[in-house]
């Protein structure tokens, strides 16, 4: 279905939805004001043509920033009451948990999550809202061209999505966390209580009617990326271990193959011993099987440990985030 076929909502037929923009922030003081201004202008444009209502707002989620991000959020909320709100977490809990905090606590009929760096093209938001008006509960923002990403990042991203599909995980290629979710979808998301979060996979599990819009990745408005290679690797590992048991099955297959290999070597040694009593098995026939079997065992223990660690974290049932302060939210008194 093409977004060009969408039409503006009929104001006489339905009330304009309240749209909340959820923006996780970690040390984003350099880009925060530009992001706020761009989103406020977008909200005003969409209000004029009836895509969103007067209760629409921008919610910045401060994920344990150590710079001036929170004071800037407070200042923006004071300067734009009812249009900008802030949520400060007690510490840095990571992008996925910060995003979940915003999605869980934000008001609105439709919630749109996006990064603070303005690399997610805001021009496709009208298409998202049109799809929402047509009855779609989830609209995914999918990256088309990625000229701002390095070749290594594009290659690793393609490899990750390909691996996830081979492991049986339902993911959308080149979709990060730029998406629209209806209030109905958010309430269903609340039912998922995982501590090891990979929202790109969880949202797909919700089902419901969905659509996709495509955009080209843009340059950061300012500052530098907060997603280092180690953070991306950790997110990828969470995605694999949280949604697929295939690595455990691979261990079983490796164990079977290793056992067959060891059996074959044992038979060979026995045959040599019986047919050539004077023959002494060489160093290679001793060391290579031991090394191979030891390597497989260590790898298997590592994979098992990763899954056991995930189970350990889930059984603790610790809070996924703790809110320290809020500002500008409905009913907020500045606490």
């Amino acid at each position: 279905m093409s977004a060009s076929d969408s039409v503006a909502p009929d104001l006489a037929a339905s009330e304009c939805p309240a749209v909340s923009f959820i923006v996780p922030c970690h040390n984003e003081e350099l880009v925060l004001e530009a992001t706020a201004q761009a989103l406020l202008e977008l909200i005003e444009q969409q209000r004029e043509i009836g895509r969103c209502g007067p209760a629409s707002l921008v919610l910045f989620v401060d994920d344990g920033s150590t710079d001036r991000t929170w004071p800037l959020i407070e200042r923006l909320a004071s300067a734009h009451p009812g249009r900008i709100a802030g949520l400060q977490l007690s510490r840095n809990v990571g992008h996925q948990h910060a995003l979940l905090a915003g999605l869980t606590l934000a008001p609105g009929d439709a919630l749109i999550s996006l990064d603070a760096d303005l690399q997610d093209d805001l021009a496709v938001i009208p298409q998202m809202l049109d799809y929402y008006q047509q009855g779609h509960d989830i609209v995914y923002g999918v990256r088309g061209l990625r000229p701002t990403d390095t070749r290594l990042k594009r290659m690793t991203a393609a490899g990750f999505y390909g691996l996830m599909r081979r492991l049986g995980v339902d993911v959308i290629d080149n979709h990060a966390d730029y998406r629209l979710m209806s209030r109905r979808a958010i309430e269903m998301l609340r039912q998922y209580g995982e501590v090891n979060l990979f929202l790109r996979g969880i949202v797909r599990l919700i089902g419901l009617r969905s659509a996709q819009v495509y955009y080209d990745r843009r340059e950061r408005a300012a500052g530098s990326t907060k997603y280092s290679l180690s953070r991306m690797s950790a997110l990828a590992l969470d995605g694999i271990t949280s949604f697929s048991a295939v690595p455990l099955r691979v261990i079983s297959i490796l164990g079977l193959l290793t056992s067959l290999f060891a059996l074959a070597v044992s038979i060979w040694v026995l045959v040599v011993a019986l047919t050539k009593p004077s023959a002494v098995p060489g160093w290679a026939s001793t060391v290579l099987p031991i090394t191979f079997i030891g390597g497989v065992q260590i790898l298997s223990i590592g994979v098992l440990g990763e899954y056991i660690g995930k189970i350990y974290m889930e059984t603790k049932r610790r809070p996924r985030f703790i809110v320290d302060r809020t500002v500008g939210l409905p009913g907020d008194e500045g606490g």
Side-chain angles (χ1 to χ4, degrees):
M1 181 177 186
S2 172
S4 61
D5 296 332
S6 62
V7 294
D10 183 357
L11 294 179
S14 62
E15 184 180 350
C16 296
V19 181
S20 292
F21 292 85
I22 315 303
V23 188
C25 307
H26 179 65
N27 295 338
E28 296 287 2
E29 63 175 350
L30 295 178
V31 74
L32 203 61
E33 292 187 84
T35 302
Q37 185 62 36
L39 289 174
L40 288 176
E41 291 176 357
L42 175 67
I43 289 175
E44 190 59 34
Q45 292 170 0
Q46 299 310 304
R47 282 183 59 184
E48 291 177 356
I49 58 178
R51 282 197 179 97
C52 62
S56 300
L57 57 78
V58 180
L59 174 61
F60 291 107
V61 182
D62 180 15
D63 183 23
S65 298
T66 56
D67 62 359
R68 296 181 60 255
T69 293
W70 180 249
L72 279 173
I73 293 173
E74 289 184 309
R75 193 180 77 190
L76 288 166
S78 177
H80 304 279
R83 302 175 66 195
I84 291 183
L87 186 69
Q88 185 182 44
L89 304 183
S90 61
R91 65 180 183 88
N92 178 247
V93 295
H95 178 270
Q96 295 290 281
H97 288 85
L99 178 55
L100 180 67
L103 292 172
T104 302
L105 300 176
D109 303 307
L111 281 66
I112 299 176
S113 57
L114 68 160
D115 292 339
D117 54 21
L118 292 179
Q119 286 190 282
D120 297 325
D121 190 1
L122 303 184
V124 298
I125 287 179
Q127 300 175 39
M128 289 184 171
L129 294 173
D130 281 344
Y131 276 124
Y132 169 75
Q133 291 287 349
Q134 295 164 11
H136 295 81
D137 287 286
I138 303 173
V139 184
Y140 300 96
V142 180
R143 299 167 182 172
L145 298 177
R146 305 177 63 165
T148 62
D149 292 340
T150 64
R151 183 177 181 182
L152 175 62
K153 188 171 183 178
R154 291 195 295 267
M155 290 176 60
T156 54
F160 167 70
Y161 289 114
L163 175 62
M164 292 290 280
R165 286 197 306 275
R166 289 183 178 87
L167 293 177
V169 183
D170 183 13
V171 292
I172 297 177
D173 283 2
N174 291 314
H175 165 67
D177 291 296
Y178 187 26
R179 69 178 74 88
L180 177 148
M181 298 182 69
S182 69
R183 175 56 57 185
R184 179 184 176 211
I186 293 296
E187 292 305 317
M188 293 182 179
L189 177 64
R190 288 172 179 267
Q191 299 178 36
Y192 290 83
E194 286 109 310
V195 172
N196 303 288
L197 276 182
F198 185 67
L199 288 174
R200 303 172 198 183
I202 293 176
V203 173
R204 291 292 290 169
L205 292 178
I206 293 174
L208 299 182
R209 189 181 179 191
S210 65
Q212 299 178 21
V213 297
Y214 298 87
Y215 68 99
D216 294 338
R217 190 79 162 154
R218 302 171 64 184
E219 293 278 359
R220 280 185 64 96
S224 58
T225 180
K226 307 304 183 297
Y227 249 109
S228 62
L229 180 60
S230 61
R231 284 176 178 263
M232 289 189 292
S233 300
L235 179 64
L237 191 59
D238 277 342
I240 293 171
T241 54
S242 297
F243 285 87
S244 177
V246 171
L248 295 176
R249 298 192 189 103
V250 171
I251 286 178
S252 299
I253 295 172
L254 280 175
L256 175 62
L257 294 177
T258 302
S259 298
L260 293 175
F261 175 76
L263 178 62
V265 171
S266 299
I267 293 173
W268 172 73
V269 171
L270 181 61
V271 170
V272 170
L274 292 175
T275 57
K276 298 180 180 180
S278 60
V280 178
W283 177 83
S285 62
T286 302
V287 174
L288 287 179
I290 293 175
T291 303
F292 175 74
I293 294 171
V296 171
Q297 288 176 332
I298 293 173
L299 174 63
S300 301
I301 291 171
V303 175
L304 286 171
E306 187 65 34
Y307 276 91
I308 292 171
K310 291 291 189 297
I311 296 171
Y312 175 65
M313 295 303 295
E314 292 291 344
T315 56
K316 287 175 178 288
R317 308 310 300 167
R318 289 175 175 171
R320 292 178 288 185
F321 57 85
I322 295 176
V323 177
D324 185 11
R325 284 178 286 181
T326 64
V327 60
L329 285 172
D332 178 68
E333 299 179 356

